[in-house]
Amino acid sequence: MATDKELSDFLENVERRAFKQAVYAVRKDEAALDIVQDAMIKLAEKYGDKPAAELPLLFQRILQTTILDYFRREKVRNTWVSLFSGLGNSQEEHEDFDILESYEAEQGTQAAESSADQVERMQVLQLIEDEVQKLPTRQREAFLMRYWQDMDVAETAAAMGCSEGSVKTHCSRANHTLAEALKAKGITL
């Protein structure tokens, strides 16, 4: 049984990483914040009586389900909006009306990107992922914990079982290696 303090501490520690994960999935800060808050509330209400050791896995599952629910709601909302957008319009006034011409994607979203931009972005991400996989194990481990999971130096050192100085060295070497490898392929970030 997790105490209120354990549950509160867990939620406080996981909030930032969960938010980044949700933003990565939905690409909207406001929606991601709502998703994380909903997931935290569900965990506290329905699973607050579970042992503290089970909370990380439960929360991850709840977060993923909440993200999927968001996409389902968006799909239904978009369907209804497109179905009812033509109601009340005089047919004579809008004979050549095309919903796709009037739809303007929100700037900075995947929908606003051209197909060529999407393909290029996916190719760059794949190159970065390939280069990260080529890093030595300890460098890759430190790099992913620090920059993907957003752990601080002390947390990373504890997880890796090494000193904070070693974590900094591994991260620095990983950054340098990645920058050189990507620069050699013509990618500058």
Side-chain angles (χ1 to χ4, degrees):
M1 299 281 280
T3 64
D4 288 342
K5 173 91 171 105
E6 288 174 328
L7 180 61
S8 177
D9 289 345
F10 169 74
L11 292 175
E12 185 178 330
N13 289 332
V14 78
E15 179 181 17
R16 194 170 15 154
R17 286 190 295 256
F19 177 72
K20 284 189 174 193
Q21 185 177 356
V23 167
Y24 184 75
V26 300
R27 306 269 189 231
K28 294 180 184 175
D29 287 350
E30 297 83 13
L33 185 58
D34 289 342
I35 287 168
V36 171
Q37 289 174 344
D38 288 346
M40 288 179 161
I41 289 169
K42 288 176 188 174
L43 179 74
E45 287 178 348
K46 296 182 181 178
Y47 301 101
D49 60 341
K50 296 289 184 182
E54 293 181 19
L55 293 179
L57 292 176
L58 285 169
F59 181 75
Q60 192 63 20
R61 183 46 131 179
I62 291 169
L63 182 63
Q64 291 300 319
T65 303
T66 307
I67 290 170
L68 289 174
D69 289 345
Y70 166 81
F71 284 119
R72 288 185 191 115
R73 281 192 310 274
E74 283 295 303
K75 183 177 179 182
V76 170
R77 183 178 299 125
N78 291 339
T79 300
W80 285 107
V81 167
S82 66
L83 287 175
F84 289 118
S85 64
L87 293 179
N89 293 336
S90 169
Q91 198 64 6
E92 295 170 4
E93 293 175 13
H94 303 287
E95 286 180 14
D96 59 346
F97 176 76
D98 183 7
I99 187 73
L100 294 178
E101 289 178 5
S102 66
Y103 174 75
E104 185 175 331
E106 186 177 324
Q107 198 65 5
T109 63
Q110 283 185 341
E113 284 184 323
S114 69
S115 296
D117 290 341
Q118 288 179 0
V119 168
E120 182 181 350
R121 182 173 47 83
M122 294 305 294
Q123 289 173 341
V124 168
L125 288 174
Q126 186 60 50
L127 285 172
I128 292 170
E129 187 176 318
D130 292 344
E131 292 301 324
V132 168
Q133 291 302 318
K134 292 178 185 176
L135 290 172
T137 305
R138 297 293 279 179
Q139 287 181 21
R140 181 176 60 242
E141 190 177 38
F143 180 83
L144 291 175
M145 284 184 195
R146 288 279 294 127
Y147 302 115
W148 178 249
Q149 295 181 358
D150 202 27
M151 296 170 76
D152 64 23
V153 175
E155 291 173 326
T156 305
M160 291 178 64
C162 63
S163 69
E164 291 182 18
S166 293
V167 169
K168 291 177 184 178
T169 301
H170 290 312
C171 286
S172 175
R173 289 179 182 165
N175 283 333
H176 180 72
T177 302
L178 287 173
E180 289 298 315
L182 294 174
K183 185 177 178 183
K185 293 184 179 190
I187 299 171
T188 55
L189 302 176

